[in-house]
Amino acid sequence: MWSGQAPFKEGSQQLQKQPAVGQWKPLASPSGGKELPQLDPRCREAGGGDDDQSTAQLNVSRLRSSSVEIREKGSEFLKEELHRAQKELKLKDEECERLSKVREQLEQELEELTASLFEEAHKMVRDANTKQAASEKQLREARGKIDMLQAEVTALKTLVITSTPSSPNRELHPQLQSPSKAVFRKGHGRNKSASSAVVTATSQSLPSESVSNECREVDSILFAEFQAWRDSPTLEKSCSFLERIYREDVGPCLDFTKQELSELVREAVEQNTLTIEPAATQALPVVKVSAMECGGPKKCALSGLSRACKHRIKLGDSGNYYYISPSCRARITAVCNFFTYVRYIQQGLVRQDVELMYWEIMRLRREMSMAKLGFYPSAM
């Protein structure tokens, strides 16, 4: 064995410790890729161990340079792959973030849309319930008005057929009977203000001859106000026609000594909830009000004067009864007559010429004025 074998073994062991990357290529010759001329065996033998040692060192240096070059290329390749992977990862992170924002936006829009739909549904249900309740209320009111109108029309037909000013029906008007025949029935007859007004108006229209002998002249201002009201009849006090009558007739006629009770009577007359009844001869049940408020058979509750009270009034659905004198009853019925006739005109039940309706209004106003002054029929 020649002496250059030991360094060659050391170089071989170092190469085995280094990792091999890629495929080994044949080493290029130092002469620019040209093949070295083969030495003559005799020359090789003559050269001895020096040439072998130099050749082994040259091979080791070549292997080292190739290993460094391969390592550098591998490192650059790995860096490029790492950079590309990082770039792709960054793009994927951005895409995930964008998709996450889109998902959050869609979830928020879906939540808002769901809340809006539920709110709209609740609103529609609430509006439907409100409209249904209002419609049911209007239906009940309309049915009540229809029943009231039918009853009033029936009553008017009965009065027109069975009673006239010249020949009143004494069955319908018991106050026209003679005192010997006028006997109170057992119990209490009840007459609403409207019915009582019709009865009183008929009974007070008997002396027509004296009225026909009077001279009359239409007041242009009053007639213009009545015509304006007749075109669109209403029970509101704001119109000039009713405002004048309230100020000149209704207010003074219902202005009694007991102011608080007078106000209640005025409201009941306007709302058509006043009831006038004949006073019963038998003892009445105890009412939960003081004797001064109710009056008594010998004391008027409105005027506070000691008078023979043949009638009593009831306000609305209250259980309280108030005794009234004939003068107070005449004043109340005069106002009731007026309101009843005005309601009939408003409801379209009066089919007369405008001037005839005007003179009927004037007659009713005169009755209120006369009652206020203390004049009333003896039948009261």
Side-chain angles (χ1 to χ4, degrees), residues 136-152 347:
E136 292 177 354
K137 181 180 179 181
Q138 292 178 357
L139 179 60
R140 290 193 300 268
E141 292 178 354
R143 287 177 177 175
K145 290 181 179 180
I146 291 173
D147 294 340
M148 181 186 67
L149 290 175
Q150 289 178 349
E152 291 183 353
Q347 296 167 4

Side-chain angles (χ1 to χ4, degrees), residues 216 218 222-223 225-233 241 245 337-338 340-365:
R216 300 184 297 184
V218 176
L222 297 179
F223 190 72
E225 291 177 353
F226 173 73
Q227 280 186 318
W229 176 83
R230 179 66 182 84
D231 294 337
S232 57
F241 170 67
I245 296 177
N337 291 340
F338 168 76
T340 300
Y341 190 70
V342 168
R343 289 191 189 97
Y344 286 162
I345 295 177
Q346 183 192 22
Q347 296 167 4
L349 300 177
V350 180
R351 305 293 182 179
Q352 289 181 341
D353 184 67
V354 178
E355 187 173 351
L356 294 177
M357 288 189 288
Y358 167 79
W359 282 116
E360 180 64 20
I361 291 291
M362 294 302 106
R363 187 187 69 80
L364 294 172
R365 291 188 63 183

Side-chain angles (χ1 to χ4, degrees), residues 22 89 128 183-186 216 232 258 318 323 340 345 348 380:
L89 182 60
V183 179
F184 290 111
R185 299 179 182 178
K186 185 178 181 180
R216 300 184 297 184
S232 57
K258 304 296 183 180
S318 173
Y323 288 90
T340 300
I345 295 177
M380 290 287 183

Side-chain angles (χ1 to χ4, degrees), residues 14 16 46 69 130 148:
Q14 291 179 357
Q16 289 178 0
E69 183 180 358
T130 304
M148 181 186 67

Side-chain angles (χ1 to χ4, degrees), residues 100-338:
S100 177
K101 290 182 179 180
V102 171
R103 185 185 65 180
E104 292 178 357
Q105 184 179 1
L106 290 177
E107 290 178 352
Q108 184 177 1
E109 291 179 357
L110 180 60
E111 185 177 356
E112 293 177 355
L113 180 60
T114 304
S116 175
L117 289 175
F118 273 106
E119 183 178 359
E120 188 69 21
H122 286 302
K123 183 179 179 182
M124 292 175 63
V125 172
R126 184 170 58 254
D127 293 343
N129 292 334
T130 304
K131 290 180 179 179
Q132 182 180 1
S135 300
E136 292 177 354
K137 181 180 179 181
Q138 292 178 357
L139 179 60
R140 290 193 300 268
E141 292 178 354
R143 287 177 177 175
K145 290 181 179 180
I146 291 173
D147 294 340
M148 181 186 67
L149 290 175
Q150 289 178 349
E152 291 183 353
V153 169
T154 304
L156 284 175
K157 288 181 178 179
T158 304
L159 291 176
V160 170
I161 294 174
T162 62
S163 179
T164 59
S166 60
S167 178
N169 190 336
R170 297 183 180 275
E171 293 294 333
L172 294 177
H173 311 295
Q175 70 274 13
L176 299 179
Q177 296 180 4
S178 59
S180 60
K181 296 182 179 180
V183 179
F184 290 111
R185 299 179 182 178
K186 185 178 181 180
H188 313 296
R190 302 188 64 186
N191 298 318
K192 283 290 183 182
S193 56
S195 302
S196 176
V198 174
V199 171
T200 310
T202 307
S203 62
Q204 294 181 358
S205 63
L206 291 177
S208 58
E209 296 180 358
S210 60
V211 176
S212 61
N213 294 332
E214 294 178 348
C215 297
R216 300 184 297 184
E217 183 178 355
V218 176
D219 185 281
S220 59
I221 298 178
L222 297 179
F223 190 72
E225 291 177 353
F226 173 73
Q227 280 186 318
W229 176 83
R230 179 66 182 84
D231 294 337
S232 57
T234 179
L235 296 179
E236 296 293 332
K237 302 179 184 178
S238 57
C239 65
S240 59
F241 170 67
L242 289 181
E243 191 273 333
R244 178 190 294 273
I245 296 177
Y246 266 97
R247 184 180 68 253
E248 297 178 358
D249 301 314
V250 175
C253 194
L254 296 180
D255 186 14
F256 300 102
T257 305
K258 304 296 183 180
Q259 293 294 327
E260 185 177 356
L261 184 57
S262 300
E263 186 65 26
L264 295 177
V265 170
R266 186 182 298 111
E267 293 178 0
V269 171
E270 293 175 357
Q271 297 173 5
N272 196 23
T273 58
L274 179 72
T275 303
I276 301 178
E277 299 179 353
T281 55
Q282 65 270 24
L284 297 175
V286 178
V287 182
K288 295 182 180 180
V289 288
S290 63
M292 183 174 296
E293 292 177 343
C294 282
K298 294 184 179 181
K299 187 174 183 180
C300 179
L302 290 172
S303 64
L305 301 176
S306 298
R307 295 290 185 271
C309 301
K310 300 179 180 180
H311 295 81
R312 62 179 185 173
I313 60 174
K314 179 182 176 184
L315 307 178
D317 296 331
S318 173
N320 301 336
Y321 289 90
Y322 303 91
Y323 288 90
I324 58 175
S325 63
S327 176
C328 293
R329 177 177 180 266
R331 292 165 65 172
I332 294 174
T333 53
V335 178
C336 290
N337 291 340
F338 168 76

